[in-house]
């Protein structure tokens, strides 16, 4: 574990290296830098727009290997968004908790990037460069998420999952009960998000300490901790059911 690691210097090294790639049209820092929650434990989230991702990844890996040493590379398969490719890098000469999350949008269409300029969802992107103005155009296309509180269909889903949880818990099958308890928690978290942070209704458990009032994030803590035994899960599941279906 490095004791002299400087994250900002790594960012500058990446910025300089990638900016030299002719196809790298734009770049920004996201994650905790964008949301204003960056601290000493934060990783680095960099996104580049390029029609030649191989050249960009090659330059990234060259500079990371030469300056820090690459221990592991995880290419995320499938892509989370249209035209998006992503790799995570675990480095040798950095703290044990640190990694680089590097993504590339392979597009020349601003609409493909608009999602990331919804500040209520992703924070304010720290733009590093925008040679073609594509990021500016993307920000002008951003629209708010459409999110509504659960209706009849969602209520029915919760009830079916609750009854499945209940019968498995009454059978004393902890593993099966736990599986459906988790799904109930996911629906309940979605309900709380729709009330307090509707633009992040689909973010699940991530960032709840920032997105929910303290009493609600503490409540989710207690609900998760209740998974220690079947009777505690039954009690919490019944409480969630009462609130979700009201």
């Amino acid at each position: 574990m490095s004791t002299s690691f400087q994250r900002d210097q790594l960012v500058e090294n990446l910025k300089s290296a990638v900016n030299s790639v002719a196809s790298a049209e734009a770049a920004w820092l996201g994650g905790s830098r964008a949301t204003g929650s960056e601290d000493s434990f934060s990783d680095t989230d960099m996104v580049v727009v390029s029609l030649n991702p191989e050249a960009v990844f090659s330059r990234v890996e060259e500079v990371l290997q030469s300056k820090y040493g690459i221990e592991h590379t995880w290419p995320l398969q499938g892509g989370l968004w249209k035209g998006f490719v992503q790799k995570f890098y675990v480095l040798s000469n950095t703290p044990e908790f640190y990694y680089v999350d590097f993504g590339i949008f392979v597009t020349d269409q601003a609409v493909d990037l608009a999602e990331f300029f919804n500040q209520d969802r992703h924070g304010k992107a720290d733009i590093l460069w925008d040679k073609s103005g594509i990021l500016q155009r993307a920000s002008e296309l951003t629209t708010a998420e459409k999110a509504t509180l659960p209706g009849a269909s969602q209520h029915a889903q919760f009830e079916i999952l609750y009854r499945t949880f209940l019968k498995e818990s009454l059978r004393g099958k902890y593993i099966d009960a736990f599986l459906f308890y988790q799904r109930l928690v996911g629906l309940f978290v979605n309900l709380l998000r729709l009330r307090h942070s509707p633009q992040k209704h689909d973010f699940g458990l991530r960032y709840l300490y920032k997105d929910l009032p303290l009493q609600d994030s503490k409540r989710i803590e207690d609900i998760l901790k209740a998974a220690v035994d079947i009777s505690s899960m039954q009690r919490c599941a019944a409480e969630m059911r009462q609130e979700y279906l009201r």
Side-chain angles (χ1 to χ4, degrees), residues 5-218:
F5 171 66
Q6 294 182 320
R7 182 179 55 220
D8 287 346
Q9 184 58 57
L10 183 147
V11 170
E12 286 302 314
N13 290 337
L14 277 180
K15 178 181 175 181
S16 176
V18 176
N19 196 18
S20 69
V21 179
S23 68
E25 288 296 324
W28 74 89
L29 298 176
S32 58
R33 176 70 67 92
T35 60
S37 58
E38 190 173 52
D39 61 18
S40 60
F41 296 105
S42 296
D43 57 282
T44 294
D45 297 84
M46 184 178 289
V47 185
V48 170
V49 180
S50 172
L51 294 178
N52 187 355
E54 294 81 8
V56 175
F57 278 130
S58 177
R59 189 71 183 100
V60 166
E61 290 164 13
E62 179 183 358
V63 70
L64 291 179
Q65 180 62 39
S66 65
K67 292 184 177 295
Y68 303 96
I70 298 175
E71 285 190 0
H72 302 285
T73 303
W74 176 30
L76 195 62
Q77 302 298 322
L80 297 175
W81 298 278
K82 176 185 176 182
F84 187 70
V85 290
Q86 184 177 19
K87 290 185 182 182
F88 294 84
Y89 299 98
V90 175
L91 308 176
S92 302
N93 298 313
T94 58
E96 190 174 16
F97 53 78
Y98 181 81
Y99 56 86
V100 173
D101 175 354
F102 197 95
I104 302 175
F105 272 102
V106 187
T107 184
D108 57 4
Q109 300 298 309
V111 67
D112 295 335
L113 312 174
E115 155 77 11
F116 286 88
F117 294 88
N118 180 338
Q119 293 187 27
D120 289 332
R121 281 174 66 78
H122 301 290
K124 183 176 175 57
D126 183 356
I127 296 176
L128 302 177
W129 67 86
D130 188 11
K131 299 173 184 176
S132 63
I134 190 171
L135 303 188
Q136 178 60 40
R137 296 194 299 276
S139 69
E140 295 167 357
L141 295 171
T142 300
T143 58
E145 283 281 301
K146 295 180 180 178
T148 58
L149 289 170
S153 178
Q154 291 80 13
H155 288 172
Q157 179 187 17
F158 192 98
E159 185 67 7
I160 293 297
L161 293 175
Y162 174 80
R163 289 169 184 245
T164 308
F165 156 77
L166 185 60
K167 68 181 178 182
E168 297 300 348
S169 70
L170 292 172
R171 287 168 174 158
K173 294 183 176 180
Y174 175 86
I175 295 173
D176 297 276
F178 177 76
L179 171 65
F180 286 96
Y181 184 75
Q182 284 183 305
R183 296 180 69 179
L184 292 174
V185 173
L187 290 175
F188 189 67
V189 166
N190 179 255
L191 172 67
L192 296 180
R193 283 194 170 281
L194 287 168
R195 289 176 179 171
H196 301 292
S197 58
Q199 288 299 296
K200 297 183 183 180
H201 65 92
D202 54 347
F203 274 42
L205 291 171
R206 195 74 167 106
Y207 310 121
L208 286 185
Y209 290 109
K210 292 188 302 180
D211 297 340
L212 297 186
L214 178 60
Q215 63 182 17
D216 282 327
S217 58
K218 178 62 169 62

